[in-house]
Structures are given as C-alpha cells and as structure tokens.
Amino acid sequence: MPLTMAKRRLAILLSGRGSNMQALVAAAQAPSAAFEIALIASDKPDAPGIGWATEQGLPTFTHAGATTAKAEHEAAIDTALQAAGAEFVALAGYMRILSGDFVARWAGRILNIHPSLLPKYKGLNTHARAIDAGDKVAGCSVHIVTEALDAGEVLGRAVVPILPGDTAEALAARVLVAEHRLYPRLVSEYVTR
C-alpha cells in the first residue's frame, strides 16, 4: 500500500473579492491536492472574498486592519494562523504591506501573486505602467514574500501579450486569468519541496 503525503495546511490572506483565493480553494479540492485550506483571513470584515468563503463553509477570520495599529492587527492575524495550524500563507490580493517582524516569523512560508513580470513594476498600477512604458508583454509573478516590497525570489511567471489599444482594465482581466492558473500550480509545487 503506497504511503500518502499529508496535505500541507495553507492559509490565505485577502482584502477584496478573492478570485485568486477561489482558484486556490478549487485546487485544494482536487483529490491529488498538495494542500488543504486551513484558514481564509482578511483585514476587511466586509470583503466579498470572506463572504464567499463563509458561504462555502470554509474557516474564516477577520480583523479590521484600518481601525487598529499595524502591530495589533498582525498579532491578531498571526494568532489566528497559528490556531488554525497553518504551515504556509498565500497572499491573494491582501493589500497591506507586512512588517518585517511578521515576515520573519513566517520566513520562507509566505507566497504572493503579483500582477507584473517581476522585477518590473513592483507595487500598484502595474498594468497601466506596462502599457505606458510601451511594453509588448505583461503578466504575473509568484514570489516568496520578504521584508522588501515584491522583492523575494520569483518562483514563476506567466506572460500575457499587451494588445494594440489595450486599457489597463482589459489587460488586468487577461492577466487575472493567467494568475488563476499559475498561483495554484506554484503553491502546490512550493509546499511539497
């Protein structure tokens, strides 16, 4: 009888609608999945992604990040992650920059999906910046989170062409489709290293 590996416990942090979270949840439901969902947490109690996760019966946690000090917010999130038995954390549209202390506690165990071909266009407004620069391609990158913004080791990228007349919104929609394919695959590969 073959030995089966225990699934790794993944927590997901989000701030918005959670489309990448939904892609990760779908991947976790596959019989051969390398990970299971330990917790879905948000800094916004009214985030649509939290509503969706609750409807699906998934474990959720919220702590209003805008109304508390950063250290207090991160302590609450960290406590919830520990209580859920999370081994890894996937940022999926989590719009807060994590402190060096939080990143150090989870060193090498936090991944992020970023909507550019890193190291290009760290931070926000990546699609408009790529179009304004005259780039022929854009895309997304999965990277390990470090204290420096969008600067950790890149685990993989997906390239998306920039079409004539593209708007930032149209490009963002196509990149999002690539994110939904890339992120679950690279999370699976990373947690089984």
Side-chain angles (χ1 to χ4, degrees), residues 22-85:
Q22 291 179 28
L24 289 166
V25 168
Q29 292 170 344
S32 61
F35 59 88
E36 61 188 0
I37 304 302
L39 183 69
I40 297 169
S42 180
D43 60 328
K44 297 183 186 227
D46 60 349
I50 287 293
W52 181 89
T54 300
E55 289 171 6
Q56 305 306 308
L58 296 165
T60 62
F61 174 81
T62 62
H63 187 270
T67 60
T68 57
K70 184 174 196 154
E72 180 185 336
H73 172 72
E74 288 184 349
I77 293 287
D78 187 58
T79 297
L81 295 173
Q82 299 289 345

Side-chain angles (χ1 to χ4, degrees), residues 12-27 40 47-50 52-53 91-94 113 172-173 175-181 183-184:
I12 303 169
L13 302 185
L14 59 86
S15 296
R17 69 180 184 260
S19 67
N20 272 303
M21 174 266 300
Q22 291 179 28
L24 289 166
V25 168
I40 297 169
I50 287 293
W52 181 89
L91 305 183
Y94 188 64
I113 181 85
V175 169
L176 193 59
V177 171
E179 289 178 23
H180 294 166
R181 287 191 304 259
Y183 206 16

Side-chain angles (χ1 to χ4, degrees), residues 78-180:
D78 187 58
T79 297
L81 295 173
Q82 299 289 345
E87 299 172 272
F88 294 90
V89 177
L91 305 183
Y94 188 64
M95 300 308 289
R96 296 178 63 91
I97 296 174
L98 297 168
S99 71
D101 288 342
F102 186 91
V103 171
R105 280 194 301 278
W106 290 88
R109 297 184 293 147
I110 308 173
L111 303 180
N112 185 43
I113 181 85
H114 182 73
S116 80
L117 298 173
L118 290 173
K120 278 186 151 185
Y121 312 122
K122 297 175 182 179
L124 301 174
N125 305 313
T126 59
H127 308 299
R129 290 161 62 196
I131 291 168
D132 291 348
D135 292 354
K136 300 296 182 207
V137 296
C140 55
S141 306
V142 174
H143 67 93
I144 298 171
V145 174
T146 61
E147 189 173 349
L149 180 67
D150 298 327
E153 175 191 351
V154 173
L155 301 175
R157 297 176 183 87
V159 176
V160 174
I162 297 177
L163 304 176
D166 244 345
T167 62
E169 295 77 19
L171 178 57
R174 290 197 317 280
V175 169
L176 193 59
V177 171
E179 289 178 23
H180 294 166

